[in-house]
Amino acid sequence: MIMNYTKFSPCDTRIEINSWQVLEEPAQIVRHAVFVEEQRIPAELERDSADADCIHAVAFDADGQAVGTGRLLPLPDSVMKLGRLAVLRSWRGRRVGQALLQALLDAARGQGAREVMLHAQQSAASFYREAGFEPRGEEFMEAGIPHLEMVLALKSGD
Ligand SMILES: CC(C)(COP(=O)(O)OP(=O)(O)OC[C@H]1O[C@@H](n2cnc3c(N)ncnc32)[C@H](O)[C@@H]1OP(=O)(O)O)[C@@H](O)C(=O)NCCC(=O)NCCS
């Protein structure tokens, strides 16, 4: 892991970028609440072997409780895949999601990525569009939920 750092976002949360080894516990608290309990995605689909290879972000509230998370998986050809972005329901609509997204895009730039791609749940496509992502290809099903591939090219010096 080349980077780990903390930044303060405008929504009273602190975002930490670090390895799975460091962030597994807080990231899993949020992912379990959002994907397994709320969205009913089977726990065995939610967990995969990619976590150890990813850069993770966790947003913590003022009491140090995890309220949001996301991850970046390095792929060949300087592409990174953003995924598992989740904010606890009680924290939604306060820009924690956009702050996590921007922190992960900064991390991707820091790794020299030329493109970030993701599989967006259809309902969240407008959230990613706001950050400049464009859809690529047709809608498809993943974990029983309609998804769209979306991409953002990172210009050098961005
Ligand atoms: C998607 C998610 C991470 C967004 O987090 P958030 O902290 O609520 O997002 P923000 O407050 O930063 O939202 C920024 C903007 O995107 C919009 N937005 C957020 N989620 C949206 C959604 N699902 N559909 C449409 N718009 C959405 C918000 O309305 C807001 O716009 P506004 O400021 O003009 O009102 C959160 O809704 C979540 O965890 N959802 C469940 C898990 C999920 O679907 N993850 C995405 C998998 S692809």
Side-chain angles (χ1 to χ4, degrees), residues 82-86 98 101 118-121 124-134 150 152:
L82 194 146
R84 301 295 196 277
L85 190 70
Q98 285 293 337
L101 189 54
L118 55 88
H119 291 172
Q121 292 184 10
S126 60
F127 168 80
Y128 293 111
R129 262 184 210 278
E130 187 184 325
F133 282 84
E134 296 285 350
M150 298 187 82
L152 177 69

Side-chain angles (χ1 to χ4, degrees), residues 4-38:
N4 65 79
Y5 57 85
T6 291
K7 68 183 232 173
F8 290 88
S9 62
C11 40
D12 291 334
T13 58
R14 174 180 69 81
I15 294 182
E16 181 173 348
I17 299 282
N18 219 318
S19 63
W20 186 237
Q21 205 184 353
V22 174
L23 293 178
E24 174 175 0
E25 193 184 331
Q28 273 304 132
I29 288 171
V30 176
R31 279 163 51 167
H32 191 85
V34 173
F35 295 119
V36 180
E37 287 176 11
E38 184 185 334

Side-chain angles (χ1 to χ4, degrees), residues 11 30 34-35 38-39 41 67-69 82-89 91-101 118-128 130 142 145-148:
C11 40
V30 176
V34 173
F35 295 119
E38 184 185 334
Q39 297 193 334
I41 293 172
V67 301
T69 190
L82 194 146
R84 301 295 196 277
L85 190 70
V87 172
L88 293 181
R89 195 197 279 267
W91 275 81
R92 292 198 194 137
R94 292 198 243 172
R95 314 298 295 174
V96 177
Q98 285 293 337
L100 278 165
L101 189 54
L118 55 88
H119 291 172
Q121 292 184 10
Q122 180 66 273
S123 61
S126 60
F127 168 80
Y128 293 111
E130 187 184 325
E142 200 172 88
I145 296 174
H147 279 75
L148 260 183

